[in-house]
Amino acid sequence: MDYEKAASFWTAKRTTAPMDESELRGAIDAFIGKHHVCALATGSDGFIRNTPIEYNYTGGKFWILSEGGLKFRGLKDNKNVCLAIFEENSDFGSLHGMQIYGIAQVVEPFTDDYNKLIEYKKIPAESLKRLKEPINLIKINPKEIDFINADFRKNGFDARQHLSIKN
């Protein structure tokens, strides 16, 4: 098996019909906004975890509230994460999904970012402060997005589009 050849399939095959960046960003934001659950992949030192979890997307960032779990074992030493958001469809050639590569940060409870998110979600801070253990907040700053949308072909674009984000 030539793993390197297989791994480089999409990077070697450059998009021949890319979308305008603003149009692509609009399509990405619409897709992300239409969904609220992702698969969050974390890992380090031979440990990998892929967690289905609810997210919020605001300010160009992904925000995930979590009581805890093994995802934090991966985040302890490796802040690089991947989120997958997709639609279930069994028809060949009609895939709609994306992979978001980003950098995660665990936000301290009741800091400005934390308070802004719980306010956005309409969660009273006082109710969270009464918990034995605080709810953890993971902030993910996206760096790259690969968006596969079979419908892009209808407008003459490649189904696979890539966006690099500089922030």
Side-chain angles (χ1 to χ4, degrees):
M1 171 70 192
D2 187 343
Y3 288 96
E4 290 303 317
K5 181 179 178 185
S8 67
F9 179 80
W10 288 111
T11 54
K13 182 181 178 180
R14 297 288 177 217
T15 301
T16 56
M19 295 174 73
D20 173 75
E21 184 174 326
S22 64
E23 185 177 4
L24 178 57
R25 282 182 180 270
I28 287 170
D29 287 346
F31 187 83
I32 292 169
K34 195 169 106 175
H35 299 85
H36 300 285
V37 176
C38 68
L40 170 64
T42 63
S44 68
D45 295 329
F47 172 82
I48 297 173
R49 185 70 172 183
N50 196 344
T51 306
I53 195 161
E54 187 178 337
Y55 68 83
N56 289 97
Y57 183 70
T58 181
K61 313 278 188 268
F62 289 87
W63 304 85
I64 297 172
L65 287 169
S66 173
E67 294 174 314
L70 291 174
K71 67 187 123 331
F72 290 95
R73 182 183 292 172
L75 288 173
K76 179 182 175 193
D77 296 318
N78 182 4
K79 305 304 182 215
N80 296 291
V81 298
C82 183
L83 290 85
I85 304 169
F86 55 91
E87 292 179 359
E88 186 177 327
N89 188 332
S90 59
D91 298 336
F92 184 78
S94 61
L95 185 62
H96 296 86
M98 65 176 55
Q99 295 171 319
I100 300 115
Y101 307 95
I103 307 297
Q105 170 190 356
V106 178
V107 178
E108 287 293 320
F110 310 110
T111 58
D112 286 345
D113 276 349
Y114 191 98
N115 290 336
K116 285 178 190 172
L117 184 77
I118 62 173
E119 183 179 314
Y120 174 82
K121 291 185 66 66
K122 297 178 176 45
I123 301 171
E126 292 310 313
S127 65
L128 293 178
K129 288 178 180 178
R130 287 193 293 267
L131 297 174
K132 282 185 179 181
E133 295 289 327
I135 300 292
N136 299 292
L137 176 59
I138 304 168
K139 172 183 168 181
I140 299 169
N141 191 9
K143 297 296 181 189
E144 295 186 39
I145 298 176
D146 288 322
F147 189 9
I148 300 173
N149 185 329
D151 294 339
F152 290 160
R153 290 186 189 119
K154 295 174 187 173
N155 296 321
F157 300 115
D158 284 348
R160 181 184 184 276
Q161 298 289 321
H162 178 83
L163 179 67
S164 292
I165 302 169
K166 294 156 185 63
N167 12 351

